[in-house]
Amino acid sequence: MCGIVGYVGARNATTLLVNGLKRLEYRGYDSAGVSLMNGQGVETRKAKGKIAMLEAAIEAQPIHGNIGIAHTRWATHGPPNECNAHPHHDCSGTISLVHNGIIENYSPLRAMLQKTGHTFVSDTDTEVLAHLIEAAFDGNLEEAVIDALALVEGTYGIAVISAKDPDKIVAARKGSPLLIGIGDGEHYVASDVAAILQHTRQVVYLDDGEMAILTRDSYRVCDLDAKTVKKGVSRIDWDLDKIEKGGFAHFMLKEIFEQPQTIENTMRGRSVDEDGFSKLGGLNLSKEFLQHLDQIIITACGTSWHSALIGELMIEEHARVRVEVEYASEFRYRNPIVSEQTLCVVISQSGETADTLAAMREAKRRGAKTLGLVNQVGSTIAREDDGGVYLHAGPEIGVASTKAFTSQVIALALLTLKLSRLRNMSVVQGREITQALAALPAQIQTILDSASDIEKIAEAFVDAENFLYLGRGYNFPVALEGALKLKEISYIHAEGYPAAEMKHGPIALIDENMPVVFIAPHDAVFDKVVSNVQEVKARGGRVIVITSREEPALAGKIDYEIRVPETIDMLYPVLTVIPLQLLAYYIAAKRGLNVDQPRNLAKSVTVE
Ligand code: M6R
């Protein structure tokens, strides 16, 4: 989604800001721009398309300055073009502003400003902010920003500069992430730490309703009544190489191959073998609450919603607690039954997904305790939940989520273990789970070692137009995830179904042009899936099976077989999803597509 970076210091800000934008490219965008204070006033360059286009515009007409703001835009109001790209300006061109989020009441505000003589040049909601600040400006930029924001409904993360109050950047946040970077004689503002990590590891996360005033030598955080707010400084402990490709053709491939390590990181210090128990330090939930809670709601979007479905099966099977899985976007607008004995588990890689955050806030308002399973440290969900389990998968850059998914399933398995052992599970059963967890990293590695076989299978399906993914039990959500991975990066239409549901409709689609992927490891429902394989083969479908050992019942009924190691039923998804990630990746890469930044998609969806 949109990205912000700003700088105030002694260096030439142009390259620094453009490089910062490049670090945000993975979030998805369709235009970019930069404004600098050039000594006389504000100067801006913008371009539609990739950052290379912005660089070309800057090369054609260079700009220089030590204070500036920059932005990557993902279009919401108005098409992606140079005019709608940020930064936006007031009538006089002295104020320049970048904005993430949506100003919901921009239409009446625009009409009101037009009546008082303001001229608009773009279709965006953002432009009203620049004009509101202009209307309120009386020599002090932060005061004008406070007055302007008082009129605004919606969400924003903004950074503003003004030639009439020239030595500062003013930033403010409501519903869209923003942080300050602290340097030596310089300060930064960014929507994502990746943009500034090259320069500083000391950051201050802004909360909703807060504003920051940055100068070369100081920063101050205050609320929107201008009252100073004391903030802690956080240290970022991951390195830049985590957000570089490290020799892989795409971030997605790198992240798929990182999974032995990333799930190990999710488990580290949390899975206790000898006691068949798990330690989750950040839960902030009493033993009594965990023993007596009567319902768990898990809410999430996209891939995180798929891991939630796996969590539901694990928790109900082992901990015997009722679980409801809800799309966050639906949950927030219905009238759910929530009590003080409800635990609301919120799953999000980014910790910034607008619907998931809103669903969590709604559950909290209704009295539930909230628990975030979040990857991005310091993100809004991680800061607002009552308790949390960080995934520790490291930054995920590819828009298609891969390593976050497997870490989410591991975190859910650890939670299941914790709940089950507190309620009804024996140490022997607990140990069976901890031992199976411990074996997973090496098992994933064996699948990755045969990636070239999967690449060959992908070759045969580069021109496919449709795909069906079928699985049962724990592997039904994996079927959904396999289909999502394929469609989002290869643009091939794909659907996931519970295998037996096929007979109730989708079977009509099956002919020799329909590839069908069965996720059929040797678990409790394996024999049932074999019957479904036969039904597809009998109708001429092209069958790819992900299974866990040689199976005479499948002989002659499948076209391609991909083997995964054996594990316990609840952990199969961590293994069976790996070939599906690779299959989607290789098909998309062979189609020559932009795997890491698929069209129309953003890494973190911070608008509703
Ligand atoms: O950051 P989140 O986990 O909250 O994101 C949720 C979805 O937007 C995300 O999983 C999306 O579906 C991915 N593109 C899937 O690969």
Side-chain angles (χ1 to χ4, degrees), residues 301-304 347-353 356 381 399-402 408 481 484-485 488 601-605:
C301 303
T303 287
S304 301
I347 308 181
S348 176
Q349 187 288 126
S350 62
E352 301 292 352
T353 301
T356 310
I381 292 175
V399 163
S401 189
T402 51
Q408 287 164 354
E481 176 59 8
L484 176 62
K485 283 293 85 81
E488 69 181 332
L601 281 176
K603 181 63 186 162
S604 118
V605 183

Side-chain angles (χ1 to χ4, degrees), residues 470 472 499-500 502 518-523 525-538 543 545 547 549 551-555 557-558:
L470 303 175
R472 296 182 82 152
M502 181 188 61
F518 280 95
I519 301 102
H522 287 75
D523 61 5
V525 288
F526 174 76
D527 294 335
K528 306 280 170 204
V529 185
V530 171
S531 317
N532 303 134
V533 172
Q534 279 161 340
E535 287 155 9
V536 169
K537 204 61 211 161
V543 174
V545 171
T547 189
R549 65 173 113 101
E551 181 52 54
L554 291 172
K557 298 181 186 69
I558 57 183

